């Protein structure tokens, strides 16, 4: 009887492990019906958000479990990690330092790199105005990346612009996600995702597509970060350079 019980326990553990592995695979590369044509994946931003837990100082939580103190380095890296996670989510796959992805990207028509960079900045600027909150905005501008899906990197490219907004007070971000959900459709955006992720902090995130402008945006409210912030990622469709031109930078 004891041997049979142990066997059943071991079988149950293996089944649970297999289920967890399948869930992780679906989260990393899977899609579900109704997924955004721009984002390619409905993986939820922040599902593995290192270093973004609530502030801790050793104070026990209800039930007696003490909070772990994060190092200053971990706290400093949290915003960058959050941006990386958002960027991975919106493109539907991982991306290396060169900006290369493996996911097919919808066409955004013909454009030179400079024009596409200007258009991407304009989309980000319009979104910042729509957010309507003043604060510190990260400096790096749009970057050029490969479209993936076998597209020639000399003639095809995609724009990506990850940035974050950190106001003087986290309270200034209260209600901003709800306002975006209401106001983005008025500007031609289609909301394709609006929900809390499965991370410890249950971050509220929003994904929207603009079919006319050929852009997608993902916004994550990092309400429990130190300090609280909005993580925004703007991604374009795949551009083709004009005849006779080549992509001059990545």
């Amino acid at each position: 009887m004891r041997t049979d019980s142990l066997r059943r326990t071991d079988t149950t553990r293996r089944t649970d492990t297999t289920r967890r592995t399948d869930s992780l695979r679906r989260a990393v590369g899977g899609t579900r019906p109704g997924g955004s044509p721009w984002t390619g994946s409905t993986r939820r931003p922040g599902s593995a958000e290192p270093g973004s837990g609530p502030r801790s100082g050793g104070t026990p939580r209800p039930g007696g479990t003490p909070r772990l103190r994060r190092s200053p380095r971990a706290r400093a890296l949290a915003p960058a990690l959050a941006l990386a996670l958002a960027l991975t989510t919106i493109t539907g796959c991982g991306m290396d330092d060169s900006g290369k992805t493996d996911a097919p990207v919808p066409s955004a028509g013909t454009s030179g790199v400079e024009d596409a960079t200007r258009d991407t900045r304009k989309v980000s600027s319009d979104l910042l105005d729509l957010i309507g909150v003043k604060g510190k905005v990260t400096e790096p501008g749009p970057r050029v990346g490969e479209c993936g899906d076998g597209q020639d990197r000399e003639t095809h490219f995609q724009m990506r612009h990850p940035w974050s907004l950190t106001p003087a007070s986290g309270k200034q971000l209260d209600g901003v996600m709800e306002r975006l959900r209401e106001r983005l459709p008025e500007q031609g955006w289609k909301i394709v995702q609006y929900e809390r992720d499965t991370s410890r902090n249950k971050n509220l995130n929003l994904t929207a597509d603009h079919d006319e402008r050929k852009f997608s945006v993902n916004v994550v409210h990092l309400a429990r970060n130190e300090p609280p912030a909005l993580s925004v990622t703007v991604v374009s469709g795949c551009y083709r350079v004009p005849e006779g031109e080549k992509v001059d930078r990545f």
Side-chain angles (χ1 to χ4, degrees):
M1 294 294 291
R2 181 177 302 173
T3 300
D4 291 342
S5 176
L6 290 173
R7 286 174 180 171
R8 286 195 297 272
T9 300
D10 184 61
T11 300
T12 301
R13 287 175 178 172
R14 289 199 301 270
T15 301
D16 290 343
T17 300
T18 301
R19 288 173 179 170
R20 288 194 296 269
T21 301
D22 289 343
S23 296
L24 287 172
R25 287 171 179 169
R26 287 193 296 271
V28 171
T31 59
R32 64 182 180 215
S36 163
W38 292 103
T39 59
S41 170
T42 52
R43 178 185 172 191
R44 296 172 179 173
S47 58
E49 187 180 332
S52 62
R55 181 170 54 188
S56 59
T59 303
R61 297 177 179 175
T65 303
R67 291 176 175 174
L68 298 178
R69 183 185 299 274
R70 291 183 297 151
S71 68
R73 176 176 175 79
R75 290 195 296 270
L77 288 174
L81 290 172
L83 284 175
L85 284 170
L87 189 57
T88 299
T89 301
I90 199 168
T91 57
C93 65
M95 185 182 72
D96 60 24
D97 291 339
S98 68
K100 183 178 180 179
T101 70
D102 296 320
V105 180
S107 173
T110 301
S111 176
V113 172
E114 294 303 322
D115 288 340
T117 300
R118 184 183 63 250
D119 291 346
T120 305
R121 288 185 184 275
K122 182 62 166 61
V123 170
S124 289
S125 178
D126 291 346
L127 288 168
L128 184 59
D129 290 342
L130 202 58
I131 290 170
V133 175
K134 294 183 178 181
K136 181 179 180 181
V137 180
T138 49
E139 293 295 332
R143 62 183 297 182
V144 180
E146 296 183 33
C147 293
D149 195 32
Q151 296 285 8
D152 188 346
R153 71 191 308 269
E154 291 189 350
T155 57
H156 292 76
F157 67 98
Q158 182 185 22
M159 300 302 304
R160 300 175 181 85
H161 190 195
W163 50 276
S164 66
L165 169 66
T166 306
S169 169
K171 291 292 184 181
Q172 293 177 260
L173 297 177
D174 290 351
V176 70
M177 297 293 282
E178 289 77 7
R179 292 197 300 273
L180 282 175
R181 181 176 61 170
E182 294 175 357
R183 298 180 64 185
L184 279 171
E186 298 173 359
Q187 305 298 322
W189 294 88
K190 177 183 178 182
I191 307 297
V192 295
Q193 182 186 35
Y194 184 81
E195 59 188 355
R196 293 192 180 277
D197 60 33
T198 57
S199 71
R200 174 183 175 185
N201 291 340
K202 303 296 181 183
N203 299 314
L204 186 59
N205 67 86
L206 177 153
T207 302
D209 297 335
H210 201 300
D211 290 337
E212 182 179 351
R213 300 178 79 170
K214 308 302 182 186
F215 278 92
S216 183
V217 61
N218 176 256
V219 185
V220 183
H221 184 193
L222 304 173
R224 302 185 71 179
N225 263 35
E226 302 174 7
L230 282 185
S231 172
V232 182
T233 306
V234 174
V235 179
S236 77
C238 182
Y239 292 103
R240 180 185 178 91
V241 297
E243 191 69 28
E245 294 186 15
K246 291 185 178 181
V247 181
D248 55 7
R249 60 185 171 89
F250 279 99

XYZ file of all heavy atoms in Angstrom, residues 74-84 164 222 225-227 231:
116
model
N 19.570 45.595 -7.375
C 18.341 44.994 -7.908
C 17.280 46.056 -8.113
O 16.554 46.045 -9.109
C 17.837 43.911 -6.957
N 17.168 47.009 -7.162
C 16.181 48.068 -7.307
C 16.509 48.963 -8.496
O 15.629 49.431 -9.210
C 16.115 48.904 -6.026
C 15.504 48.142 -4.848
C 15.121 49.109 -3.746
N 16.264 49.791 -3.169
C 16.958 49.327 -2.125
N 16.618 48.180 -1.560
N 17.975 49.997 -1.652
N 17.801 49.197 -8.729
C 18.214 50.054 -9.835
C 17.940 49.400 -11.185
O 17.647 50.068 -12.169
C 19.708 50.387 -9.718
N 18.041 48.064 -11.237
C 17.847 47.360 -12.495
C 16.384 47.117 -12.829
O 16.055 46.808 -13.973
C 18.565 46.001 -12.444
C 20.094 46.029 -12.505
C 20.641 44.634 -12.308
C 20.575 46.610 -13.825
N 15.498 47.264 -11.855
C 14.084 46.921 -12.059
C 13.459 47.626 -13.261
O 12.787 46.983 -14.079
C 13.286 47.211 -10.797
N 13.620 48.973 -13.428
C 12.989 49.624 -14.584
C 13.493 49.082 -15.919
O 12.718 48.898 -16.850
C 13.362 51.101 -14.406
C 13.637 51.249 -12.943
C 14.271 49.952 -12.538
N 14.802 48.820 -16.025
C 15.351 48.301 -17.273
C 14.806 46.912 -17.575
O 14.485 46.588 -18.724
C 16.888 48.245 -17.190
N 14.674 46.072 -16.528
C 14.132 44.742 -16.727
C 12.678 44.807 -17.142
O 12.224 44.033 -17.983
C 14.278 43.930 -15.436
C 15.711 43.540 -15.061
C 15.747 42.917 -13.687
C 16.282 42.568 -16.085
N 11.947 45.737 -16.559
C 10.535 45.890 -16.925
C 10.393 46.276 -18.390
O 9.535 45.769 -19.108
C 9.866 46.940 -16.039
N 11.258 47.185 -18.862
C 11.219 47.586 -20.267
C 11.556 46.423 -21.178
O 10.937 46.232 -22.224
C 12.204 48.730 -20.514
C 11.770 50.113 -20.035
C 12.888 51.109 -20.243
C 10.519 50.565 -20.767
N 12.548 45.623 -20.783
C 12.928 44.467 -21.602
C 11.781 43.481 -21.707
O 11.515 42.917 -22.768
C 14.168 43.780 -21.014
N 10.015 54.979 -20.542
C 9.249 54.952 -19.299
C 9.017 56.373 -18.802
O 9.783 57.292 -19.112
C 9.976 54.132 -18.224
O 11.196 54.765 -17.854
N 3.511 50.148 -13.542
C 4.337 49.526 -12.501
C 4.069 50.242 -11.183
O 4.912 50.969 -10.652
C 5.807 49.603 -12.897
C 6.134 48.981 -14.266
C 7.579 49.263 -14.649
C 5.874 47.484 -14.250
N 6.455 49.509 -8.178
C 7.895 49.697 -8.349
C 8.391 50.794 -7.415
O 7.603 51.551 -6.842
C 8.219 50.069 -9.793
C 8.651 48.868 -10.602
O 8.156 47.768 -10.402
N 9.556 49.078 -11.539
N 9.684 50.930 -7.314
C 10.302 51.966 -6.494
C 11.195 52.833 -7.386
O 12.331 52.472 -7.660
C 11.137 51.333 -5.382
C 10.353 50.410 -4.469
C 11.267 49.698 -3.490
O 12.482 50.015 -3.431
O 10.783 48.818 -2.792
N 10.732 53.976 -7.875
C 9.403 54.566 -7.688
C 8.404 54.032 -8.715
O 8.810 53.436 -9.718
C 9.666 56.050 -7.918
C 10.766 56.054 -8.927
C 11.652 54.879 -8.600
N 5.639 51.941 -18.001
C 6.552 51.391 -18.986
C 5.810 51.339 -20.322
O 4.755 50.714 -20.429
C 7.000 49.987 -18.576
O 7.738 49.377 -19.616
